Amino acid sequence: MPATTLRVATGKPIEFINITQRIKRIVQESGIQEGICTIYVPHTTCGITINEAADPDVERDILKELGKIVPLHDEYLHAEGNSAAHIKTSLMGSNSSIPISDGRLLLGTWQGIFLCEFDGPRNRKVYVQIQ
Amino acid sequence: MPATTLRVATGKPIEFINITQRIKRIVQESGIQEGICTIYVPHTTCGITINEAADPDVERDILKELGKIVPLHDEYLHAEGNSAAHIKTSLMGSNSSIPISDGRLLLGTWQGIFLCEFDGPRNRKVYVQIQ
Amino acid sequence: MPATTLRVATGKPIEFINITQRIKRIVQESGIQEGICTIYVPHTTCGITINEAADPDVERDILKELGKIVPLHDEYLHAEGNSAAHIKTSLMGSNSSIPISDGRLLLGTWQGIFLCEFDGPRNRKVYVQIQ
């Protein structure tokens, strides 16, 4: 089954975009009952993470703390000025694999899937492969 | 093949639980000779990592250093008071995929699979999907 | 299909090794048109990450900043003296899953796959499993 491409237009320099419902729809439309859903971000200043989707303060805390761990400016060499975004992308990762059971993603009650924009706003792509 | 659910009762606020033997048993019982084992944690204050299982000081050093990178209290907004646990979960990740060859997980000599409890003690679940 | 083993001799204590071309070749030789390529590092002081491969300053910035986030010496307990390498490995992760479409890895334009040596130089292995 070929990968599906999601298109996500981010609106801020740094933000999380909740893509859970869009991923769930792709899983549902695939008709696959048991398998794995692989989510892959083909960018280098934008990652993916799974975390709490109920209280938006959790996203804010993660983003704020990542900003402390990896300062925006820190004598980086890369001339484009977005090294912090590259580093945060490696910390969050570019891919995630979630089991599918009875036709549904095995997400926990509080879990959501977030595209992590670290150098926006930009037009981003997310590949979703179901097996 | 449907995912298997492991149940793990953690005993401390913050600790690593070695689940390597339990995952190996699931792989063995599946009878799969060549494939991928996907391990998925459906929680938002508990992650998964693969690291050295021989010397317990490695786990202690990882946990202690994570505690320095992400302080327990840092003017977080999330009212539940466990933002550090959420942030550490995103740093470690919620899933891992390990190849299976000749019926065995391709773990390295020193590698173990650890559930990372950051907001315990709690009853946790781990999904294991073999393909 | 059995996993393929790549052998990588690293040359420095800390460095990124671009293994993109070698992974692409394995995908091509597999003949698989649609699927997932899982890359797995069986070591505990060496990880894997996907990030920009065009400007080597990006690798340098990531490595330098990781060195600030996780100091080489910080009263670690592990007697081998390489705790920082273990911690960085957990931050980068040991595995990555990339979709394959039309026989090609769905890497983004700027993305490369890097073995992250944190305790070299050593002879390292990378397992590549295609499904």
Side-chain angles (χ1 to χ4, degrees):
Chain A
M1 167 171 278
T4 300
T5 304
L6 279 186
R7 287 170 196 283
V8 182
T10 63
K12 297 181 191 173
I14 296 177
E15 66 176 332
F16 276 10
I17 306 271
N18 187 334
I19 57 173
T20 316
Q21 294 310 319
R22 297 179 68 182
I23 306 280
K24 280 185 176 173
R25 204 171 308 132
I26 293 168
V27 171
Q28 203 174 359
E29 288 170 0
S30 76
I32 301 281
Q33 293 300 302
E34 307 293 327
I36 293 285
C37 174
T38 301
I39 306 160
Y40 185 80
V41 178
H43 305 287
T44 59
T45 55
C46 174
I48 190 164
T49 198
I50 293 170
N51 216 300
E52 179 176 326
D55 176 5
D57 278 344
V58 172
E59 304 167 38
R60 289 184 198 118
D61 284 340
I62 298 173
L63 286 173
K64 197 174 157 198
E65 197 66 18
L66 279 177
K68 292 188 185 185
I69 297 167
V70 184
L72 274 183
H73 305 287
D74 197 16
E75 300 177 19
Y76 299 121
L77 300 168
H78 182 46
E80 286 185 54
N82 60 356
S83 286
H86 286 289
I87 297 161
K88 291 173 185 175
T89 298
S90 278
L91 288 175
M92 292 296 99
S94 301
N95 61 97
S96 207
S97 298
I98 307 172
I100 296 167
S101 190
D102 281 335
R104 293 184 315 110
L105 273 182
L106 280 181
L107 283 176
T109 313
W110 307 107
Q111 284 184 324
I113 306 162
F114 295 95
L115 184 81
C116 313
E117 175 62 83
F118 294 123
D119 192 30
R122 297 198 195 208
N123 293 315
R124 300 298 197 174
K125 286 192 291 190
V126 179
Y127 299 130
V128 183
Q129 173 70 283
I130 292 168
Q131 285 199 306
Chain B
M1 167 171 278
T4 301
T5 304
L6 279 186
R7 288 171 196 281
V8 182
T10 63
K12 297 181 191 172
I14 296 177
E15 67 175 332
F16 276 10
I17 306 271
N18 188 334
I19 56 173
T20 314
Q21 294 310 320
R22 297 179 69 183
I23 306 280
K24 280 185 177 172
R25 204 171 307 132
I26 293 168
V27 171
Q28 203 174 359
E29 288 170 0
S30 77
I32 301 282
Q33 293 302 302
E34 307 293 327
I36 293 286
C37 174
T38 301
I39 305 160
Y40 184 79
V41 178
H43 305 287
T44 60
T45 55
C46 173
I48 190 163
T49 198
I50 293 169
N51 216 300
E52 179 176 327
D55 176 6
D57 278 343
V58 173
E59 304 167 38
R60 290 185 196 116
D61 284 339
I62 298 174
L63 286 173
K64 197 175 158 199
E65 197 67 17
L66 280 177
K68 292 188 185 185
I69 297 168
V70 184
L72 273 185
H73 305 287
D74 198 14
E75 300 177 19
Y76 298 121
L77 300 168
H78 182 47
E80 285 185 53
N82 59 356
S83 285
H86 286 288
I87 297 161
K88 291 173 184 174
T89 297
S90 278
L91 288 175
M92 292 296 99
S94 302
N95 61 96
S96 207
S97 298
I98 307 172
I100 296 166
S101 190
D102 280 335
R104 293 185 313 110
L105 273 182
L106 280 181
L107 284 175
T109 314
W110 307 107
Q111 283 184 325
I113 307 162
F114 295 95
L115 183 80
C116 314
E117 175 62 81
F118 294 123
D119 190 33
R122 296 198 195 207
N123 292 314
R124 302 297 198 175
K125 286 193 290 190
V126 179
Y127 299 130
V128 183
Q129 174 70 282
I130 292 168
Q131 286 198 305
Chain C
M1 167 172 279
T4 301
T5 304
L6 278 185
R7 287 171 196 281
V8 182
T10 63
K12 298 181 191 171
I14 296 177
E15 67 175 332
F16 276 10
I17 306 271
N18 188 335
I19 56 173
T20 315
Q21 294 310 319
R22 297 178 69 183
I23 307 280
K24 281 185 176 173
R25 204 171 308 132
I26 293 168
V27 171
Q28 204 173 0
E29 288 170 0
S30 76
I32 301 281
Q33 293 300 302
E34 308 292 327
I36 294 285
C37 175
T38 301
I39 306 160
Y40 185 80
V41 178
H43 305 287
T44 59
T45 55
C46 173
I48 188 163
T49 198
I50 293 170
N51 216 301
E52 179 176 327
D55 176 5
D57 278 343
V58 172
E59 303 167 39
R60 289 183 197 119
D61 284 339
I62 298 174
L63 286 172
K64 197 175 157 199
E65 197 65 18
L66 279 177
K68 292 188 185 184
I69 297 168
V70 184
L72 273 184
H73 304 287
D74 197 15
E75 300 177 18
Y76 299 121
L77 300 168
H78 183 46
E80 284 185 53
N82 60 355
S83 285
H86 286 289
I87 298 161
K88 291 173 184 174
T89 297
S90 278
L91 288 175
M92 291 296 99
S94 301
N95 61 97
S96 207
S97 297
I98 307 172
I100 296 166
S101 190
D102 281 334
R104 293 186 313 110
L105 272 183
L106 280 181
L107 284 176
T109 314
W110 307 107
Q111 283 183 325
I113 306 161
F114 295 95
L115 184 80
C116 313
E117 175 61 84
F118 294 122
D119 192 31
R122 296 199 195 205
N123 293 314
R124 300 298 197 174
K125 286 193 290 190
V126 179
Y127 299 130
V128 183
Q129 173 71 281
I130 292 169
Q131 286 199 306

